[in-house]
Amino acid sequence: MGRRILLGVGNPDRGDDGAGPCVAALLRESAALDIVECRGEAGAILAALEGAVEAIIVDASLSSAPAGTVRRFDLAAEGAPLSLDCGCSSHGFGLAEAIGLAWTLGTLPPVCVLFTIEGESFAPGAPLSSAAQAGAAAAAARILAELAAKERADGASFFTAG
């Protein structure tokens, strides 16, 4: 059995950029996945994905969607890397570039899903907004529901005992 990870991307000290780490914290006790957090540098993302057969990535986004909006992208099934201008990440050289590089190198996990949570404030020192908190809670619940469905379908255990 291969490694399964949840990668929470973002900086909790920059407002809604902390949405990914917030989801990681919400799932740390309930999901039997390797919970990994990183600030969003492409090298750290690639290192986190190394050797994973299943990856769930959660990151804040900044586009024209309402704050707190949760979007899901099946990166392995959609067959193409993220567009570099899709507004899917708040980082400079980060997630989109890491996914594109992993795709090119053939190292993208066979199951790789990205959840984005729309942010509204990324100011240094700002707290997570209430909209981003609600989005993080919704993303965590959706991830748990998907893991439960997957567990029923293939018998893999994604939950901790208790």
Side-chain angles (χ1 to χ4, degrees), residues 3-38:
R3 184 170 164 251
R4 299 181 193 121
I5 70 163
L6 181 129
L7 176 60
V9 178
N11 183 343
D13 296 324
R14 293 190 55 104
D16 292 347
D17 196 38
C22 181
V23 171
L26 290 169
L27 296 178
R28 191 172 308 282
E29 300 302 322
S30 58
L33 304 166
D34 288 343
I35 304 291
V36 180
E37 294 180 34
C38 76

Coordinates of all heavy atoms in Angstrom, one line a residue, residues 3-38:
R3 N 1.7 5.5 0.1 CA 1.5 6.6 1.0 C 0.4 7.5 0.5 O 0.3 7.8 -0.7 CB 2.8 7.4 1.0 CG 2.9 8.5 2.0 CD 4.4 9.0 2.0 NE 4.4 10.3 2.6 CZ 4.6 11.4 2.0 NH1 4.9 11.4 0.7 NH2 4.5 12.6 2.6
R4 N -0.5 7.8 1.5 CA -1.6 8.8 1.2 C -1.4 10.0 2.0 O -1.1 9.9 3.2 CB -2.9 8.2 1.6 CG -3.2 6.9 0.9 CD -4.6 6.4 1.4 NE -4.8 5.1 1.0 CZ -5.1 4.1 1.8 NH1 -5.1 4.3 3.1 NH2 -5.2 2.9 1.4
I5 N -1.5 11.2 1.4 CA -1.2 12.4 2.1 C -2.3 13.4 1.9 O -3.0 13.4 0.9 CB 0.1 13.1 1.7 CG1 0.1 13.6 0.3 CG2 1.3 12.1 1.8 CD1 1.2 14.6 0.0
L6 N -2.5 14.3 2.9 CA -3.2 15.5 2.7 C -2.2 16.6 2.9 O -1.5 16.7 3.9 CB -4.3 15.6 3.8 CG -5.1 16.9 3.6 CD1 -6.6 16.7 3.5 CD2 -4.8 17.9 4.6
L7 N -2.1 17.4 1.9 CA -1.1 18.5 1.9 C -1.9 19.8 2.1 O -2.6 20.3 1.2 CB -0.3 18.5 0.6 CG 0.7 19.7 0.4 CD1 1.7 19.7 1.6 CD2 1.4 19.5 -0.9
G8 N -1.7 20.5 3.2 CA -2.3 21.8 3.5 C -1.3 22.8 3.1 O -0.2 23.0 3.8
V9 N -1.5 23.6 2.1 CA -0.6 24.6 1.6 C -1.0 26.0 2.0 O -2.2 26.4 1.9 CB -0.6 24.6 0.0 CG1 0.4 25.6 -0.5 CG2 -0.2 23.2 -0.5
G10 N -0.1 26.7 2.6 CA -0.3 28.1 2.9 C 0.4 28.6 4.2 O 1.0 27.8 4.9
N11 N 0.3 29.9 4.4 CA 0.9 30.5 5.6 C -0.2 30.9 6.6 O -0.9 31.9 6.2 CB 1.8 31.6 5.1 CG 2.5 32.3 6.2 OD1 2.2 32.1 7.4 ND2 3.6 33.0 5.9
P12 N -0.3 30.3 7.7 CA -1.3 30.7 8.7 C -1.1 32.1 9.2 O -2.0 32.7 9.9 CB -1.2 29.7 9.8 CG 0.0 28.9 9.6 CD 0.5 29.2 8.2
D13 N 0.0 32.8 9.0 CA 0.2 34.1 9.4 C -0.1 35.2 8.4 O 0.3 36.4 8.5 CB 1.7 34.3 9.9 CG 2.0 33.4 11.0 OD1 1.1 33.3 11.9 OD2 3.1 32.9 11.1
R14 N -0.8 34.8 7.3 CA -1.1 35.7 6.2 C -2.6 35.6 5.9 O -3.0 35.3 4.8 CB -0.3 35.4 5.0 CG 1.2 35.8 5.2 CD 1.9 35.7 3.9 NE 1.3 36.6 2.9 CZ 1.8 37.8 2.5 NH1 2.9 38.2 3.0 NH2 1.2 38.5 1.6
G15 N -3.5 35.8 6.9 CA -4.9 35.8 6.7 C -5.4 34.5 6.1 O -5.1 33.4 6.5
D16 N -6.2 34.7 5.0 CA -6.8 33.5 4.4 C -5.9 32.6 3.7 O -6.3 31.4 3.3 CB -7.9 34.0 3.4 CG -9.1 34.7 4.1 OD1 -9.2 34.5 5.3 OD2 -9.9 35.3 3.4
D17 N -4.6 32.9 3.6 CA -3.6 32.0 3.0 C -3.5 30.8 4.0 O -3.0 29.7 3.6 CB -2.3 32.6 2.9 CG -1.3 31.8 2.0 OD1 -1.8 31.2 1.0 OD2 -0.1 31.8 2.3
G18 N -4.0 30.9 5.2 CA -4.0 29.8 6.2 C -5.1 28.8 6.0 O -5.2 27.9 6.8
A19 N -5.9 28.9 5.0 CA -7.0 28.0 4.8 C -6.6 26.5 4.6 O -7.2 25.6 5.2 CB -7.9 28.4 3.6
G20 N -5.5 26.3 3.9 CA -5.0 24.9 3.7 C -4.5 24.3 5.0 O -4.9 23.2 5.4
P21 N -3.6 25.0 5.8 CA -3.2 24.5 7.1 C -4.4 24.4 8.0 O -4.4 23.5 8.9 CB -2.3 25.6 7.6 CG -1.7 26.2 6.4 CD -2.8 26.2 5.4
C22 N -5.5 25.2 7.9 CA -6.6 25.0 8.8 C -7.3 23.7 8.5 O -7.7 23.0 9.4 CB -7.6 26.2 8.5 SG -9.1 26.2 9.6
V23 N -7.5 23.4 7.2 CA -8.1 22.1 6.9 C -7.2 20.9 7.4 O -7.7 19.9 7.9 CB -8.3 22.0 5.3 CG1 -8.7 20.6 4.9 CG2 -9.3 23.0 4.9
A24 N -5.9 21.1 7.2 CA -5.0 20.0 7.8 C -5.2 19.8 9.3 O -5.3 18.7 9.7 CB -3.5 20.4 7.5
A25 N -5.3 20.9 10.0 CA -5.6 20.8 11.4 C -6.9 20.2 11.7 O -7.0 19.4 12.7 CB -5.5 22.2 12.1
L26 N -7.9 20.5 11.0 CA -9.3 19.9 11.2 C -9.3 18.4 11.0 O -10.0 17.7 11.6 CB -10.3 20.6 10.3 CG -10.6 22.1 10.6 CD1 -11.5 22.7 9.5 CD2 -11.4 22.1 12.0
L27 N -8.4 18.0 10.0 CA -8.4 16.5 9.7 C -7.4 15.7 10.4 O -7.3 14.5 10.3 CB -8.3 16.4 8.2 CG -9.5 17.0 7.4 CD1 -9.2 16.8 5.9 CD2 -10.8 16.3 7.7
R28 N -6.5 16.4 11.1 CA -5.3 15.7 11.7 C -5.7 14.5 12.6 O -5.1 13.5 12.6 CB -4.5 16.7 12.5 CG -3.2 16.2 13.0 CD -2.3 17.2 13.6 NE -2.1 18.4 12.8 CZ -1.3 18.5 11.7 NH1 -0.6 17.5 11.4 NH2 -1.2 19.7 11.1
E29 N -6.8 14.6 13.3 CA -7.2 13.6 14.3 C -8.1 12.6 13.7 O -8.3 11.5 14.2 CB -7.8 14.2 15.5 CG -6.9 15.1 16.3 CD -5.6 14.5 16.7 OE1 -5.6 13.3 17.1 OE2 -4.5 15.2 16.7
S30 N -8.8 12.9 12.6 CA -9.8 12.0 12.1 C -9.5 11.2 10.9 O -10.0 10.1 10.7 CB -11.1 12.7 11.9 OG -10.9 13.8 10.9
A31 N -8.6 11.6 10.1 CA -8.3 10.9 8.9 C -6.9 10.2 9.0 O -6.0 10.8 9.5 CB -8.2 11.9 7.7
A32 N -6.9 9.0 8.5 CA -5.6 8.2 8.6 C -4.8 8.5 7.3 O -4.6 7.6 6.5 CB -6.0 6.7 8.7
L33 N -4.4 9.7 7.2 CA -3.6 10.1 6.1 C -2.3 10.8 6.7 O -2.4 11.3 7.8 CB -4.3 11.2 5.2 CG -5.6 10.9 4.6 CD1 -6.3 12.1 4.1 CD2 -5.4 9.9 3.5
D34 N -1.2 10.8 5.9 CA -0.1 11.6 6.4 C -0.6 13.1 6.2 O -0.9 13.5 5.1 CB 1.1 11.4 5.5 CG 1.8 10.0 5.8 OD1 1.5 9.5 6.9 OD2 2.6 9.6 5.0
I35 N -0.6 13.9 7.2 CA -1.0 15.3 7.2 C 0.3 16.1 7.1 O 1.2 16.0 8.0 CB -1.8 15.7 8.4 CG1 -3.0 14.8 8.6 CG2 -2.2 17.2 8.3 CD1 -4.1 15.0 7.5
V36 N 0.5 16.8 6.0 CA 1.7 17.5 5.7 C 1.3 19.0 5.5 O 0.3 19.2 4.8 CB 2.4 17.0 4.5 CG1 3.7 17.8 4.2 CG2 2.7 15.5 4.7
E37 N 2.0 19.9 6.0 CA 1.8 21.3 5.7 C 3.1 21.9 5.1 O 4.2 21.5 5.5 CB 1.5 22.1 7.0 CG 0.2 21.6 7.7 CD -0.1 22.4 8.9 OE1 0.2 23.6 9.0 OE2 -0.7 21.7 9.8
C38 N 2.9 22.9 4.2 CA 4.0 23.6 3.7 C 3.5 25.0 3.3 O 2.3 25.2 3.2 CB 4.7 22.9 2.5 SG 3.8 23.0 1.0

